[in-house]
Amino acid sequence: MRLNGEISHKEDEEDEEEKQSGVLQPERLVVGYALTSKKQKSFLQPKLEILARHKGISFVAIDQNRPLSDQGPFDVVLHKLSGMEWCEIIEDYRQKHPEVTILDPPDAIKHLHNRQSMLQDVADLNLSDCNGKVRVPRQMVITKDSLSIPDQVFEAGLKLPLVAKPLVVDGSAKSHELFLAYDRFSLSELEPPMLLQEFVNHGGVLFKIYIIGETIKVVRRFSLPNVSKRELAKVVGVFRFPRVSSAAASADDADLDPGIAELPPRPLLERLARELRRRLGLRLFNIDMIREHGMRDVFYVIDINYFPVSQLSSIEIMLAAVCG
């Protein structure tokens, strides 16, 4: 098959090999991709190209310097680029080519760029009949005036300690900076806009729940340890902590207390995933979830991220998202 674009594997040679072998290959699925260089490097691994070839999937790089409608034809367009111009291009393409699967619509992705709005859909859910409860930590948004933060926290009745996160998620290192505040007065040292979230003790383990089409995959990651009442009474200040829940912090093989390590109930995850897929309008995202320490069936969603390709098998993403 000849396509307009850069094919990420040697398709001509493969087609010839297939003809000579006499083995009938599956019908090709053409995936156009537009990713940042960082995402492209983590996504298009050699293993992906080998598996994709056997599954009949071809990856074609989208040329951002040419009209998108002049490229392809594509069965799927996979993208993770920012900027108003790109959003307009992909939205226009989606309207003109409804037969093409877009992973995912720009307007739906934007919903996860704000930490206040990203969790609102979770807060609106009622999953109490699914072998557990899913909640969102009490939180508030600070938009300006650092010096007034202590008074705003007091008036809102938030309990310490508090996790402080940048309000906007734009993929930059700064948007992933996290702070833990042991007293409200030290919060005036931070720079708005930000989201303040009550810290929930969770045994130092976080569950990353990957939603890939109809597929759900759960992994454990080490997180922040519990904060005792004694520690809270003695410690003062705001402390920056390293980005938690990365792949390097895997806790899947660790010797953990069973009450902490036990995964959330499957019926709960399936209902949560189904509801969020519908409400968010997304197929590729992951949820950061914690279990309240000492409470087997009480869970909190603390963050939602779009298209975390570095954490998953790329071929798993494609097959589940496109076919699911």
Side-chain angles (χ1 to χ4, degrees):
M1 179 181 294
R2 179 65 61 185
L3 299 168
N4 296 322
E6 174 194 344
I7 299 180
S8 59
H9 53 76
K10 300 179 181 178
E11 188 172 282
D12 289 340
E13 295 179 7
E14 290 165 5
D15 287 344
E16 186 62 31
E17 291 175 0
E18 290 171 8
K19 292 177 182 177
Q20 294 178 3
S21 68
V23 178
L24 182 63
Q25 298 297 317
E27 183 179 353
R28 288 203 181 279
L29 182 77
V30 182
V31 179
Y33 64 89
L35 308 172
T36 62
S37 56
K38 180 180 178 181
K39 286 298 180 185
Q40 184 172 323
K41 184 177 180 180
S42 61
F43 182 72
L44 291 174
Q45 297 289 324
K47 181 180 179 181
L48 167 63
E49 299 190 81
I50 295 172
L51 291 173
R53 182 170 65 250
H54 291 295
K55 295 291 184 179
I57 299 175
S58 297
F59 287 99
V60 180
I62 291 173
D63 186 348
Q64 297 176 53
N65 296 316
R66 296 173 52 209
L68 184 54
S69 292
D70 292 347
Q71 303 179 59
F74 303 120
D75 298 295
V76 179
V77 170
L78 178 69
H79 70 102
K80 193 172 185 182
L81 298 176
S82 58
M84 183 63 69
E85 183 179 1
W86 172 254
C87 289
E88 291 175 354
I89 289 173
I90 200 71
E91 182 59 31
D92 179 68
Y93 183 85
R94 189 169 75 94
Q95 295 294 331
K96 294 178 179 177
H97 298 274
E99 76 282 1
V100 179
T101 300
I102 305 295
L103 298 177
D104 272 304
D107 287 343
I109 297 172
K110 285 181 185 178
H111 193 67
L112 299 187
H113 290 172
N114 182 294
R115 282 197 163 96
Q116 180 183 29
S117 63
M118 74 165 60
L119 296 182
Q120 187 56 53
D121 287 304
V122 180
D124 293 340
L125 294 177
N126 179 11
L127 306 180
S128 58
D129 59 342
C130 297
N131 301 327
K133 302 178 179 67
V134 177
R135 300 171 178 170
V136 172
R138 292 187 63 206
Q139 58 187 33
M140 68 178 298
V141 172
I142 304 294
T143 57
K144 57 184 179 179
D145 191 9
S146 298
L147 295 179
S148 70
I149 296 178
D151 290 336
Q152 293 184 62
V153 169
F154 178 77
E155 292 171 4
L158 293 188
K159 296 180 180 179
L160 297 166
L162 295 174
V163 177
K165 310 176 181 180
L167 181 61
V168 177
V169 182
D170 58 10
S172 66
K174 185 175 179 61
S175 70
H176 291 290
E177 289 182 345
L178 303 176
F179 298 85
L180 188 63
Y182 285 82
D183 72 287
R184 61 188 176 94
F185 296 102
S186 296
L187 286 167
S188 59
E189 301 172 11
L190 299 179
E191 180 182 352
M194 71 178 78
L195 180 77
L196 299 180
Q197 202 173 67
E198 288 187 346
F199 179 77
V200 178
N201 281 336
H202 53 282
V205 172
L206 175 148
F207 303 106
K208 292 196 80 72
I209 303 163
Y210 296 98
I211 314 298
I212 321 152
E214 298 288 339
T215 299
I216 301 172
K217 180 175 181 178
V218 186
V219 297
R220 302 178 187 86
R221 296 283 188 259
F222 284 115
S223 180
L224 297 180
N226 291 345
V227 176
S228 66
K229 292 182 179 180
R230 180 179 179 183
E231 180 182 357
L232 186 59
K234 292 175 61 177
V235 179
V236 175
V238 175
F239 300 90
R240 180 179 177 180
F241 53 86
R243 187 174 179 182
V244 297
S245 76
S246 65
S250 175
D252 282 328
D253 298 324
D255 185 16
L256 300 171
D257 182 324
I260 294 175
E262 181 183 7
L263 297 179
R266 194 71 186 181
L268 183 71
L269 296 182
E270 290 175 350
R271 174 79 179 278
L272 176 63
R274 183 168 62 251
E275 290 291 337
L276 288 183
R277 276 198 310 270
R278 181 178 64 83
R279 290 169 179 256
L280 296 175
L282 297 171
R283 296 194 190 189
L284 299 178
F285 61 98
N286 89 273
I287 302 166
D288 287 351
M289 175 184 279
I290 57 176
R291 171 189 282 113
E292 184 173 359
H293 188 63
M295 304 290 289
R296 183 181 181 185
D297 62 349
V298 178
F299 301 90
Y300 287 83
V301 173
I302 58 175
D303 220 350
I304 304 177
N305 304 289
Y306 177 66
F307 193 7
V309 296
S310 61
Q311 307 291 336
L312 286 171
S313 159
S314 301
I315 191 67
E316 184 177 25
I317 286 178
M318 282 310 311
L319 291 178
V322 176
C323 303

